[in-house]
């Protein structure tokens, strides 16, 4: 059993940042420990037994504050904005070693509910290290969108990927909650909650 909560206090954000620093440092990436909490960003964290075992942030694009990916891929994001796409960016994802795939799936699922079902955003855009590109394509259905550039925030190369949230919703409705029935499905979608739970904004699995 684990719970997904919003890090809506300084203490909870610090707990999530400690996990992020631990997991990114283990991979040799740098993380700014003094990063300011942006008003267009929410941070989610997974907790079990009082320990933080997973975290991710979600930034919502708006006219006043853009997305972290604008720093390196502004031209590509502006192409989508010109077509009236509403963008959001999952970022600062960290899952502790040995933690169930369901934790990862739950964090992504709740971010989808928040972004698409509640606020009407249409696309995820993410910057990922080139070595992780195939993982996000295979497990969630992301597609190439901006090529490879240097990510100035973590001091490593990054590839811009895009996922239409309408597609994500289709996969959740098709596979959500069917881990055992869809043994041949290689994506993470069977680890998402059942479609009926999406309307209830689940907080615990």
């Amino acid at each position: 059993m684990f719970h997904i909560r919003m890090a809506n206090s300084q203490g909870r954000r610090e707990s999530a940042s400690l996990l992020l620093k631990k997991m990114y440092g283990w991979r040799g990436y740098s993380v700014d420990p003094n990063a300011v909490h942006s008003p267009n960003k929410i941070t989610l964290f997974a907790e079990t037994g009082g320990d933080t075992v997973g975290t991710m942030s979600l930034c919502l694009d708006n006219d006043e504050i853009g997305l972290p990916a604008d720093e390196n891929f502004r031209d590509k994001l502006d192409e989508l904005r010109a077509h009236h796409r509403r963008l959001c960016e999952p970022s600062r994802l960290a899952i502790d070693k040995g933690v169930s795939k369901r934790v990862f799936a739950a964090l992504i699922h709740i971010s989808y509910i928040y972004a698409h079902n509640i606020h009407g955003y249409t696309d995820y855009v993410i910057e990922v290290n080139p070595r992780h590109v195939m993982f996000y394509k295979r497990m969630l259905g992301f597609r190439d969108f901006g090529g490879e550039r240097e990510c100035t925030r973590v001091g490593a190369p990054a590839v811009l990927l895009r996922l239409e949230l309408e597609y994500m919703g289709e996969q959740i409705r098709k596979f959500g909650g069917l881990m055992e029935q869809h043994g041949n499905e290689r994506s993470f979608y069977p680890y998402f909650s059942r479609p009926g739970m999406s309307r209830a904004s689940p907080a615990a699995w």
Side-chain angles (χ1 to χ4, degrees), residues 86-134:
R86 300 190 67 203
L87 312 179
C88 50
E89 181 178 355
S91 64
R92 300 172 73 86
L93 173 66
I95 307 293
D96 211 348
K97 289 183 286 187
V99 173
S100 167
K101 294 177 182 178
R102 293 172 63 236
V103 172
F104 174 91
L107 286 167
I108 298 295
H109 193 168
I110 292 180
S111 74
Y112 160 83
I113 293 169
Y114 183 85
H116 184 67
N117 294 7
I118 297 176
H119 292 288
Y121 282 79
T122 62
D123 297 80
Y124 278 162
V125 291
I126 59 171
E127 294 176 282
V128 300
N129 188 284
R131 74 182 74 169
H132 300 149
V133 166
M134 289 309 301

Side-chain angles (χ1 to χ4, degrees), residues 7 13 35-39 41-43:
R13 286 193 288 269
V36 177
H37 182 70
S38 175
K41 180 176 75 175
I42 65 165
T43 296

Side-chain angles (χ1 to χ4, degrees), residues 4-30:
I4 305 294
R5 295 188 171 94
M6 186 178 295
N8 55 5
S9 70
Q10 184 62 29
R12 288 181 170 180
R13 286 193 288 269
E14 288 177 356
S15 179
S17 294
L18 286 174
L19 176 63
L20 188 75
K21 185 176 180 180
K22 169 187 172 183
M23 301 310 298
Y24 276 45
W26 178 71
R27 293 180 174 87
Y29 302 152
S30 61

Side-chain angles (χ1 to χ4, degrees), residues 30-70:
S30 61
V31 177
D32 181 6
N34 300 312
V36 177
H37 182 70
S38 175
N40 71 328
K41 180 176 75 175
I42 65 165
T43 296
L44 302 172
F45 70 98
E47 182 181 60
T48 181
D51 296 325
T52 298
V53 297
T55 182
M56 69 167 288
S57 294
L58 181 69
C59 296
L60 304 176
D61 194 26
N62 61 47
D63 293 336
E64 297 178 359
I65 305 175
L67 300 175
D70 278 314

Side-chain angles (χ1 to χ4, degrees), residues 148-162:
E148 180 179 325
R149 300 178 185 179
E150 183 72 11
C151 180
T152 53
R153 293 188 306 282
V154 298
V159 175
L160 184 68
L161 302 178
R162 174 194 178 192

